[in-house]
Amino acid sequence: MRKQIAAANWKMNLTISQAEKLVNDLLATAHEVKENQQVLLAVPFPYLSQVEKLLAGKNGVAVAAQNCSNKLSGAYTGEVSVEMLSSLNINYVIIGHSERREYFNESNQLLAEKINMALQNNITPVFCCGEALEIRESEKQNEFVGKQLNESLYHLTPDQLKKVVIAYEPIWAIGTGKTASSEQAQEMHAFIRSELSNKYGVETANEISILYGGSVKGANAKEIFSQPDVDGGLVGGASLNAGEFNTIINSLK
Ligand code: PGA
């Protein structure tokens, strides 16, 4: 059965002492993570090891990176490879967040290379997709997201695809306080699953966790996560608050 996932995306926030406090506050109030659930903390690169240490022995809670290089090693100043992440026992990486696509010009083709890198190193990619406001307003969102899936994922075998987590994040809902309605989220998630099903078959499609991202908070998580094709959330702003993020974790199915 596919996992229900609450993934925190801290982005470029917090000093190390603030990060430690947040993790300790989270752990102090956290309930047990159930067998079918997974909690991820996608933290800035310099904090991966320290946060991993703080989480030692906590079942169902793992550290994730927010990005990785499409190159394996070498003269790429400032980049972080999947081998480096593996060597720190990091098992998850966010790939293709809309901020990376927008501010760092990451294309669907480049993201396909990053997906391959992660999978070759047994790291689960959390692959982000989602449309901007003007695309939604012109009702081209399915076509747009379909193309993102096609160009970054459809070269994978069914077994490889089963290791990918997908996060649908409409750009107009990220950090704006404007959440997609639970119907809009369900509609897109069902579309994504039907596309995966057309390409890979229904059994494979049903094994993929599809997270929703975009202004998820304690107050709306339960309703969004209750939708049949929504398997949890990728959470930015609200994940910087221990109480909010715990409420979000407790809203998982
Ligand atoms: P937000 O960010 O929850 O602050 O909207 C979500 C994300 O960018 O992953």
Side-chain angles (χ1 to χ4, degrees):
M1 211 186 104
R2 60 185 190 247
K3 291 247 176 185
Q4 303 298 308
I5 302 172
N9 177 11
W10 290 1
K11 308 191 180 184
M12 196 174 73
N13 289 299
L14 309 176
T15 61
I16 185 65
S17 55
Q18 290 169 332
E20 286 170 345
K21 181 174 183 320
L22 177 55
V23 175
N24 288 329
D25 288 351
L26 257 178
L27 294 176
T29 47
H31 293 269
E32 208 181 312
V33 179
K34 296 191 199 119
E35 194 70 24
N36 68 320
Q37 300 173 342
Q38 176 72 53
V39 175
L40 299 177
L41 303 182
V43 309
F45 287 132
Y47 306 159
L48 288 169
S49 285
Q50 182 57 16
V51 173
E52 207 183 13
K53 271 186 212 133
L54 294 174
L55 295 180
K58 302 285 174 225
N59 283 338
V61 190
V63 186
Q66 297 176 10
N67 181 29
C68 66
S69 174
N70 63 324
K71 302 285 195 288
L72 198 52
S73 66
Y76 300 103
T77 303
E79 289 290 273
V80 173
S81 75
V82 282
E83 266 186 5
M84 294 173 185
L85 299 178
S86 277
S87 71
L88 294 172
N89 297 315
I90 302 302
N91 296 318
Y92 294 87
V93 60
I94 297 177
I95 288 181
H97 190 280
S98 61
E99 288 149 18
R100 303 275 339 153
R101 293 173 183 269
E102 185 179 348
Y103 307 135
F104 303 95
N105 297 321
E106 297 197 355
S107 65
N108 291 339
Q109 287 71 22
L110 177 92
L111 300 174
E113 292 174 19
K114 293 189 177 197
I115 295 273
N116 292 345
M117 277 291 162
L119 290 173
Q120 280 159 20
N121 284 269
N122 288 321
I123 296 179
T124 299
V126 178
F127 174 74
C128 301
C129 57
E131 80 288 352
L133 186 60
E134 59 273 20
I135 295 170
R136 167 70 56 170
E137 282 173 347
S138 58
E139 296 180 6
K140 296 248 163 56
Q141 66 271 19
N142 288 8
E143 202 180 302
F144 184 84
V145 171
K147 188 169 187 293
Q148 290 181 318
L149 299 175
N150 184 10
E151 294 184 354
S152 297
L153 297 182
Y154 288 176
H155 62 287
L156 300 175
T157 66
D159 282 346
Q160 287 175 320
L161 187 85
K162 282 182 194 166
K163 295 184 184 124
V164 175
V165 171
I166 294 176
Y168 168 61
E169 300 205 303
I171 297 169
W172 45 273
I174 296 178
T176 57
K178 216 188 205 185
T179 327
S181 66
S182 50
E183 292 78 19
Q184 283 172 319
Q186 169 55 26
E187 200 174 50
M188 177 56 85
H189 284 226
F191 167 74
I192 292 172
R193 209 179 296 287
S194 76
E195 290 284 286
L196 298 176
S197 177
N198 291 341
K199 175 81 186 160
Y200 290 94
V202 64
E203 195 199 322
T204 300
N206 281 338
E207 281 190 43
I208 314 283
S209 300
I210 308 176
L211 317 186
Y212 168 80
S215 299
V216 173
K217 48 184 193 259
N220 60 25
K222 200 155 194 112
E223 192 191 331
I224 297 173
F225 297 173
S226 70
Q227 298 300 314
D229 286 296
V230 178
D231 305 308
L234 178 56
V235 187
S239 75
L240 298 172
N241 178 300
E244 277 285 309
F245 193 57
N246 264 326
T247 307
I248 292 167
I249 296 171
N250 292 332
S251 305
L252 289 173
K253 288 196 277 269

